[in-house]
Structures are given as C-alpha cells and as structure tokens.
C-alpha cells in the first residue's frame, strides 16, 4: 500500500475488547493509532485503564471529535446498535474509509432476526449487503471486496472453526449436535454485574441462555450459508470464574468414520493456518495454552459410544474471539501478513 502506516481510530477503546485492541495495535508495525474514543473519562491516558499499554498514544476523546478524512480504518467496539449509527452517518461521505465492527450490528443478514434477538431496530439496513461476516480462516480473499467487516461472536468462532469443515465433507451427522461453551466472565463486558446477579459471581460456574442465546441465530445463518445444510443443535453457554479464555465442547456422531479421519480432515483444512492447531488424538485440552493469543487449539476425542466423538476447541474469548480476529481481518483486508502483530 502507498499510504504508509494505516491511520486508525478505535471507538469503544476502554472496554475489555477495546483495551485488547489498543494493546495489540499499539505494537503493530503497520498501524498508527490516531484516535482513542470513549464516552467517559475523556482526556485520560489509555494507561489509566490498562497498565499493559506502555506506548504514548492519543488521550481518550469523544468520537464526535474525529476528523474522518484523517483515518483509513475504524474499529468499533461498542454496545449493539451504536456502530450502525456511526457507519450510516459516514459510509457514503468517506468512500475510502473501512470499518471493522466487533458488535452484532452487521453479523445478521436479516434485520428482522436482528431486531428479534437484540431488541433494537436496525437503522442501516441498506448497508447490511455492503458488509461481510468474517471468520478470518474462511474469507482470506473475499474480504478485500468489502468496506464493512462484521467480526464474529466469540462462541460462534470457537464452534465454526472445527465444525464447518466436517459438515461440508459430510463426515458427521447433523440432526442432533450438542454444543456447550464455557467462557471467562470478560465475555459479558464491564457491565457484568448488571447482566448476571447470581450469588458468588466471581467464584462460581453459571449456565445461562440455554434456549435463547443471541449467538444461536448467528450460528444458524453461517452454517447454512457455508455448508448449504441446516443442522439441528442445542447450545449451552456457561460463565466461568476466570477472567478470559473459552473452552467449547461439541458432541457429534460420525457418519461411520473414525476419530482419526475427523482429525485428518481438520489437519488438511488448516495445514497452512497461522493460528489453528490440531492436537494429537484424545489429547486433554484447556484454555491455558491460548490465553492472550490469537490461537485456536482443537482436540478430537473418542468416547465409549461407537462413532460418537467430542471435539474440544479452545480460544481466548477476547483475542481470537474478538480483538485478535479483528486485527487478523485487518491484515487480510490490507494484504499484510496474516499473523502480523499477532501471536
């Protein structure tokens, strides 16, 4: 690219995901952070919110102060409903500007499904078609045709990476899949205590959203789009008494193939991947290895039941599940090395 360093604004810079974005982008060799925006504590240094960030960066300001002509790319790490308002206001006026949205605003193609799940009317419906939902591993070339990138949810990322290749190859039965995902509490954001009021919040495990979690419609949409198959699955999320990390367990029956075949298909799919690691058969797995990285570790495990396997998938919910994947998408968008600035 001829523009030198990308000039970047991060709106929503002081939330958990926003701070991880700032921390990683502040060390990225192709990026210059021009604006860090929030609605509170204006004028503060970013290090006030996160001691990891040592670099001298712009002080926190309001998004209203952005000179949009001075930036190439904006990351939006905002509550649902906010990104669409900003993008609607700037998309046509600044036609070189690109957006990576970490909320759900452009994940769903159907605005009625968005309204049903998020209880918000979509205010930029005509721009949905201008956006791309991007798990990076599935969109390496296609992504450059779009200006609005919808970053996936953390749970759907951990689920789709191992599941979609197996559905596409018809290696597993799709009529009754059970998925459970356990996440560190940072996934609920800084307003955690308003969303969850059960006892011993930070020292206990909690199941929630069994039938109604918002990511279910995202999974339905993307699995159908990528595999052309509608599958039946149940999804149970859990909150863990740990800050970050996610472990997903997917229980499936195979189509008369053994676990070795399942593992070899995933190895084949991700053999050139910078971030996806397929472990040895029947390896025990936790989230410890992937914390503070953009990696996804996957283990295929046999069970006592013939042709039934468990697929474990571990990511950091704030990195591969959010900010890291957003930066991976940025790297692809601008033809930088895919793993630049990431570990």
């Amino acid at each position: 690219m001829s523009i030198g360093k990308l000039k970047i604004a991060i709106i929503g810079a002081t939330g958990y995901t926003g701070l991880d974005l700032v921390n990683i982008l502040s060390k990225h060799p192709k990026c210059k952070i021009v604006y860090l925006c929030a609605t509170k504590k204006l004028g503060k240094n970013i290090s006030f919110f996160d001691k990891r960030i040592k670099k001298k960066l712009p002080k926190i300001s309001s998004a209203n102060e952005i000179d949009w002509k001075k930036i190439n790319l904006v990351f939006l790490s905002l509550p649902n409903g906010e990104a669409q308002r900003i993008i609607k206001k700037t998309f046509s006026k600044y036609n070189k500007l690109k957006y990576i949205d970490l909320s759900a605003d452009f994940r769903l193609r159907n605005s009625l499904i968005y309204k049903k799940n998020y209880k918000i009317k979509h205010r930029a419906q005509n721009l949905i078609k201008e956006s791309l939902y991007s798990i990076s591993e599935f969109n390496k070339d296609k992504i450059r045709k779009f200006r609005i990138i919808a970053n996936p949810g953390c749970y759907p990322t951990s689920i789709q990476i191992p599941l979609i290749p197996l559905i596409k190859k018809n290696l597993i039965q799709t009529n009754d899949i059970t998925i459970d995902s356990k996440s560190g509490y940072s996934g609920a954001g800084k307003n955690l205590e308003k969303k969850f009021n059960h006892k011993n919040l930070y020292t206990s495990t909690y199941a929630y959203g069994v039938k109604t979690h918002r990511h279910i419609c995202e999974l339905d949409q993307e699995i159908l789009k990528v595999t052309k198959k509608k599958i039946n699955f149940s999804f149970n999320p859990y909150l863990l008494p740990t800050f970050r990390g996610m472990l997903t367990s997917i229980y499936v029956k195979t189509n008369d193939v053994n676990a070795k075949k399942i593992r070899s298909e995933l190895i084949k799919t991700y053999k050139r991947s910078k971030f996806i690691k397929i472990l040895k058969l029947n390896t025990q797995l936790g989230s410890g290895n992937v914390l503070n990285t953009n990696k996804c570790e996957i283990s295929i495990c046999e069970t006592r039941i013939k042709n039934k396997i468990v697929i474990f998938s571990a990511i950091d919910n704030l990195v591969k599940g959010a900010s890291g994947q957003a930066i991976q998408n940025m790297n692809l968008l601008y033809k930088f090395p895919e793993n630049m600035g990431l570990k």
Side-chain angles (χ1 to χ4, degrees):
M1 291 194 60
S2 60
I3 59 171
K5 285 195 174 186
L6 275 183
K7 294 174 180 64
I8 286 172
I10 301 169
I11 307 179
T14 60
Y16 292 140
T17 298
L19 289 168
D20 264 23
L21 272 173
V22 178
N23 185 44
I24 299 169
L25 286 169
S26 68
K27 303 166 193 167
H28 194 290
K30 293 286 189 180
C31 295
K32 181 183 180 183
I33 297 172
V34 182
Y35 294 100
L36 293 174
C37 301
T39 55
K40 297 173 185 172
K41 304 261 189 328
L42 303 184
K44 289 278 188 187
N45 288 317
I46 194 70
S47 58
F48 172 82
F49 302 93
D50 193 330
K51 300 290 186 246
R52 294 176 302 168
I53 304 166
K54 308 294 185 191
K55 191 171 181 178
K56 188 169 171 56
L57 294 170
K59 292 185 189 304
I60 302 297
S61 61
S62 165
N64 296 327
E65 294 177 28
I66 293 174
D67 182 345
W68 297 99
K69 297 189 294 296
K70 288 186 176 176
I71 62 171
N72 310 110
L73 173 67
V74 56
F75 288 90
L76 301 118
S77 183
L78 294 166
N80 297 315
E82 295 297 312
Q84 56 185 267
R85 185 177 56 80
I86 292 169
I87 295 174
K88 184 179 181 180
K89 198 160 62 175
T90 56
F91 185 83
S92 298
K93 196 171 179 184
Y94 305 98
N95 59 14
K96 296 281 194 285
L97 183 60
K98 295 183 181 181
Y99 310 82
I100 297 179
D101 176 24
L102 288 89
S103 79
D105 279 10
F106 291 91
R107 289 178 192 162
L108 300 174
R109 312 312 291 171
N110 186 322
S111 60
L112 295 177
I113 293 176
Y114 175 86
K115 185 178 180 183
K116 180 182 176 184
N117 279 273
Y118 291 93
K119 315 303 179 199
I120 304 166
K121 184 179 179 183
H122 206 290
R123 305 285 179 188
Q125 293 177 34
N126 61 318
L127 293 178
I128 294 173
K129 66 182 184 298
E130 306 289 344
S131 68
L132 176 72
Y133 177 99
S134 182
I135 287 181
S136 308
E137 282 70 22
F138 302 157
N139 289 294
K140 295 194 178 186
D141 298 315
K142 192 178 182 184
I143 194 169
R144 289 192 285 274
K145 297 175 184 172
F146 293 86
R147 286 175 55 204
I148 304 170
I149 307 304
N151 218 58
C154 48
Y155 290 130
T157 295
S158 71
I159 293 163
Q160 290 177 77
I161 287 172
L163 200 55
I164 278 180
L166 305 178
I167 298 171
K168 283 172 89 169
K169 291 289 187 178
N170 200 32
L171 294 176
I172 58 172
Q173 295 179 25
T174 57
N175 60 334
D176 185 14
I177 297 172
T178 301
I179 305 167
D180 74 56
S181 292
K182 300 170 180 71
S183 175
Y185 59 78
S186 58
K190 287 192 170 179
N191 290 323
L192 170 72
E193 290 172 15
K194 291 180 182 175
K195 297 176 186 173
F196 296 94
N197 55 16
H198 57 282
K199 288 183 179 178
N200 303 310
L201 176 59
Y202 296 103
T203 54
S204 63
T205 304
Y206 189 71
Y208 69 103
V210 175
K211 192 178 177 184
T212 57
H213 195 280
R214 292 164 167 181
H215 286 168
I216 290 172
C217 56
E218 184 179 328
L219 286 164
D220 276 336
Q221 170 188 283
E222 289 305 304
I223 291 169
L224 181 61
K225 182 182 87 180
V226 177
T227 69
K228 307 293 185 277
K229 292 178 183 175
K230 181 153 178 51
I231 73 167
N232 283 322
F233 67 93
S234 62
F235 171 62
N236 303 340
Y238 300 78
L239 213 59
L240 293 178
T242 182
F243 179 69
R244 65 166 76 222
M246 176 172 289
L247 181 64
T248 287
S249 310
I250 308 170
Y251 304 84
V252 297
K253 283 190 173 178
T254 70
N255 281 327
D256 290 323
V257 296
N258 61 25
K260 284 183 183 176
K261 171 66 177 168
I262 299 291
R263 180 176 176 269
S264 65
E265 183 57 42
L266 291 177
I267 289 171
K268 186 176 160 188
T269 300
Y270 294 116
K271 64 183 175 187
R272 291 192 180 89
S273 170
K274 305 287 186 187
F275 299 110
I276 315 301
K277 182 179 181 182
I278 314 301
L279 305 181
K280 289 180 180 177
L281 201 64
N282 297 318
T283 299
Q284 296 180 27
L285 180 61
S287 60
N289 287 345
V290 299
L291 295 184
N292 297 294
T293 79
N294 198 51
K295 292 184 168 65
C296 172
E297 287 194 347
I298 296 168
S299 176
I300 311 298
C301 293
E302 297 162 312
T303 71
R304 296 169 60 196
I305 303 168
K306 188 185 176 187
N307 292 336
K308 184 154 190 178
I309 61 167
V310 187
I311 305 164
F312 295 108
S313 170
I315 64 171
D316 186 319
N317 59 298
L318 292 178
V319 187
K320 184 58 177 168
S323 59
Q325 182 151 250
I327 293 163
Q328 188 181 357
N329 278 328
M330 176 196 76
N331 286 340
L332 294 169
L333 197 57
Y334 289 96
K335 293 189 177 179
F336 300 149
E338 188 180 350
N339 58 343
M340 183 176 275
L342 294 165
K343 58 184 182 180

